Amino acid sequence: MASRDEVVARLAEVFRTHGYEGASLARIGAGTGLGKGSMYNFFPGGKEEMAQAVMAHIDAWFRSEVFNPLRATDDSAAGVARMLDAVELYFRSGRSVCLLGVFALGYERDLFAQTIRAYFAEWIAALAAALQRGGHVPTEAVALAEETVGTIQGALVLARAADEAALFTRAMARLRLRLGSVP
């Protein structure tokens, strides 16, 4: 029997591959290796609870590896570089899509709107705060943070659409130069 964390990780891949609507119970079962009874044992609230568990898992990872490090370091450039490294690792250098981005584009956006908004708002706020500590004026820092998160999300979509992960890698290299955090 897989642990709940293992199941949540497998669920994330099912949702990334098929979207929320396309993640049928049959696909979820095949992707997780769980029967219907076990699925409802882990997630009595069904598919919505499954998606919420996946988003909570993503939020915890980003909080630990991206948001908190951006806030915690006095060295803004190091914090931004760590964020870019973590993002490249998480999205497997463009070979994996952003699930919250996928959910933001589908009809399920309304179902999970608060979670999706909070995720992107926190990312932008944490990055803007780091950029301000690095010398950017507040309005410029917010604009650059929005541009950065938008570039990452757009590069993920382009890489997926073109089936060319290198598009994402090139966009990340440009962001490193733009943000002044070349390793």
Side-chain angles (χ1 to χ4, degrees):
M1 175 72 68
S3 72
R4 183 176 167 94
D5 284 344
E6 291 170 326
V7 171
V8 168
R10 292 176 191 166
L11 277 170
E13 290 311 309
V14 173
F15 286 127
R16 277 188 184 94
T17 302
H18 302 288
Y20 183 78
E21 277 304 301
S24 65
L25 287 182
R27 285 180 170 152
I28 290 169
T32 61
L34 296 178
K36 191 174 180 178
S38 295
M39 276 188 262
Y40 282 103
N41 185 44
F42 276 117
F43 306 100
K47 189 164 74 168
E48 184 176 337
E49 184 179 345
M50 293 175 196
Q52 289 170 336
V54 168
M55 289 186 294
H57 180 76
I58 291 167
D59 181 70
W61 189 91
F62 267 81
R63 190 172 305 284
S64 168
E65 302 301 319
V66 175
F67 307 155
N68 290 344
L70 277 170
R71 290 184 183 109
T73 182
D74 289 331
D75 183 350
S76 173
V80 170
R82 180 175 173 180
M83 177 203 74
L84 294 171
D85 291 343
V87 165
E88 281 197 86
L89 175 69
Y90 185 81
F91 294 120
R92 297 179 19 231
S93 298
R95 289 184 294 281
S96 182
V97 297
C98 175
L99 186 58
L100 275 85
V102 169
F103 282 4
L105 298 174
Y107 106 92
E108 62 273 11
R109 178 197 148 313
D110 293 338
L111 187 59
F112 305 118
Q114 184 177 357
T115 301
I116 293 167
R117 269 194 302 272
Y119 166 80
F120 285 111
E122 185 168 4
W123 191 352
I124 290 165
L127 179 55
L131 293 170
Q132 284 180 45
R133 285 192 311 280
H136 291 275
V137 297
T139 55
E140 180 184 301
V142 170
L144 188 52
E146 290 171 346
E147 177 186 331
T148 299
V149 173
T151 297
I152 290 167
Q153 293 299 311
L156 287 167
V157 170
L158 285 175
R160 176 75 171 210
D163 195 22
E164 183 183 344
L167 284 167
F168 179 76
T169 304
R170 290 192 301 268
M172 294 301 288
R174 287 189 300 274
L175 280 175
R176 287 182 190 281
L177 290 172
R178 173 99 168 92
L179 298 172
S181 59
V182 178

